[in-house]
Amino acid sequence: MKKQSSSHKAIKSSSALSPGQVIDAYGVGRVVASTNSKFEKHDLVAGFLGWEEYSLIQGEFKLSFLRKLETSTDLPLSHQVGVLGLSGLTAYGGFYNVGRPKKGDKVFVSAASGSVGNLVGQYAKLSGCYVVGSAGNKQKVEMLKDKLGFDDAFNYKDESDLTSTLQRYFPDGIDIYFDNVGSKMLEAAIANMNPFGRVVACGAVSEYAYETNRASPNMIDVIYRRLSIQGFITPDYMKDYAEFASITSDYIRSAKLHVLEDISIGLESIPSAFVGILRGDNIGKKMVQIVERIE
């Protein structure tokens, strides 16, 4: 919705929005009518729906993401939007495919209490890594350590020098930085990376609302430490969905992975819910429940 960028042409899901256009969102719904042989009336489905009570799903791109849900699952339907939806696949695909973790790696996750970051940290711990996360208040920091099992965490708003902060938490350097923030956090992480470290460029939330908050990492560090900085988007890993969903579901059922969900009620709450994400109000996956029940 901001000014045009060359990235808007990179993939269909990143195309720019125009005023009055329906806003897509990953969600769960029930089919009320279908002319597609893969879906029948009353099927539960997950995919790109919209900020609306009824969605018309057509076109190859949207249909490629639409999947029929098993009604016999023992997991809450909301999980299909978050931990078993795009947020979970983003965390899983980015961490394992771009981060390429090894047991004992030292991992830093920014925006670690968000829908993606909290899962990255938990996957990292399950992979035998040392994990530190950053968040925006004391409650979130304590939650990361006490509930999710992060080795440590800090409130970035309390830190005046992020480079020194990360040096304190990573005296032996960072092997993997999962970046959800960009800007000064990325600069500080680069300054503390180990040789051949990997930066997983997932998001840049600090730059979304303020275009002046652009990162300027020290390229000498990138070159001489032979760092990898790789961006990705979730559709890159749709081919891995079955593997991701199976492994993650097993983690949830065995209580090895905690699910954080923050649910608002009603279509009218969508704008405030979205703005709240940019303010950092949410813990875990922010969702909006449009109707009382669809089951």
Side-chain angles (χ1 to χ4, degrees), residues 47-66:
F48 280 112
L49 308 182
W51 288 16
E52 52 194 357
E53 293 176 318
Y54 294 90
S55 293
L56 177 62
I57 310 301
Q58 56 186 355
E60 183 179 347
F61 178 77
K62 281 192 175 183
L63 284 170
S64 70
F65 277 89
L66 197 66

Side-chain angles (χ1 to χ4, degrees), residues 4-190:
Q4 291 288 325
S5 165
S6 59
S7 66
H8 288 145
K9 301 177 182 179
I11 186 171
K12 193 173 181 64
S13 61
S14 67
S15 58
L17 288 169
S18 301
Q21 183 180 342
V22 173
I23 299 176
D24 288 336
Y26 195 83
V28 167
R30 185 179 291 281
V31 176
V32 296
S34 174
T35 58
N36 188 303
S37 60
K38 294 181 180 178
F39 305 99
E40 299 179 353
K41 186 176 180 178
H42 303 308
D43 282 348
L44 282 172
V45 295
F48 280 112
L49 308 182
W51 288 16
E52 52 194 357
E53 293 176 318
Y54 294 90
S55 293
L56 177 62
I57 310 301
Q58 56 186 355
E60 183 179 347
F61 178 77
K62 281 192 175 183
L63 284 170
S64 70
F65 277 89
L66 197 66
R67 57 188 175 87
K68 184 176 176 179
L69 300 179
E70 297 294 332
T71 56
S72 59
T73 180
D74 58 323
L75 299 176
L77 199 57
S78 58
H79 286 12
Q80 301 294 333
V81 181
V83 65
L84 296 175
L86 292 191
S87 293
L89 184 59
T90 299
Y92 185 91
F95 181 64
Y96 287 108
N97 287 279
V98 182
R100 306 186 305 280
K102 303 183 297 295
K103 186 176 182 179
D105 274 349
K106 294 170 282 294
V107 179
F108 173 47
V109 185
S110 57
S113 67
S115 64
V116 174
N118 88 87
L119 296 173
V120 171
Q122 293 186 78
Y123 285 135
K125 286 304 300 177
L126 289 165
S127 300
C129 300
Y130 173 83
V131 185
V132 175
S134 65
N137 63 45
K138 182 179 180 181
Q139 175 194 6
K140 293 178 179 180
V141 167
E142 294 306 314
M143 181 271 299
L144 292 174
K145 295 188 291 185
D146 297 341
K147 184 173 183 177
L148 302 189
F150 280 55
D151 294 286
D152 219 328
F154 64 90
N155 182 353
Y156 69 89
K157 294 179 181 178
D158 290 340
E159 305 295 336
S160 59
D161 185 341
L162 291 172
T163 299
S164 297
T165 298
L166 290 180
Q167 189 174 42
R168 187 168 74 248
Y169 283 94
F170 293 95
D172 297 320
I174 300 168
D175 297 305
I176 301 172
Y177 171 41
F178 198 101
D179 185 23
N180 293 305
V181 173
S183 192
K184 294 186 182 300
M185 193 70 80
L186 174 59
E187 295 173 12
I190 291 290

Side-chain angles (χ1 to χ4, degrees), residues 183-258:
S183 192
K184 294 186 182 300
M185 193 70 80
L186 174 59
E187 295 173 12
I190 291 290
N192 283 278
M193 298 290 291
N194 284 326
F196 302 102
R198 288 85 71 200
V199 176
V200 185
C202 177
V205 68
S206 68
E207 302 180 23
Y208 295 159
Y210 304 98
E211 294 184 2
T212 57
N213 291 349
R214 294 291 173 84
S216 300
N218 187 329
M219 293 307 296
I220 298 299
D221 285 344
V222 173
I223 294 167
Y224 282 91
R225 296 179 187 179
R226 288 87 89 202
L227 305 181
S228 298
I229 304 175
Q230 182 179 334
F232 74 99
I233 50 178
T234 312
D236 295 342
Y237 304 115
M238 284 304 297
K239 64 184 185 301
D240 300 326
Y241 182 83
E243 172 193 279
F244 145 75
S246 175
I247 291 173
T248 302
S249 295
D250 288 344
Y251 282 154
I252 295 170
R253 292 188 180 100
S254 60
K256 293 180 179 180
L257 189 146
H258 296 276

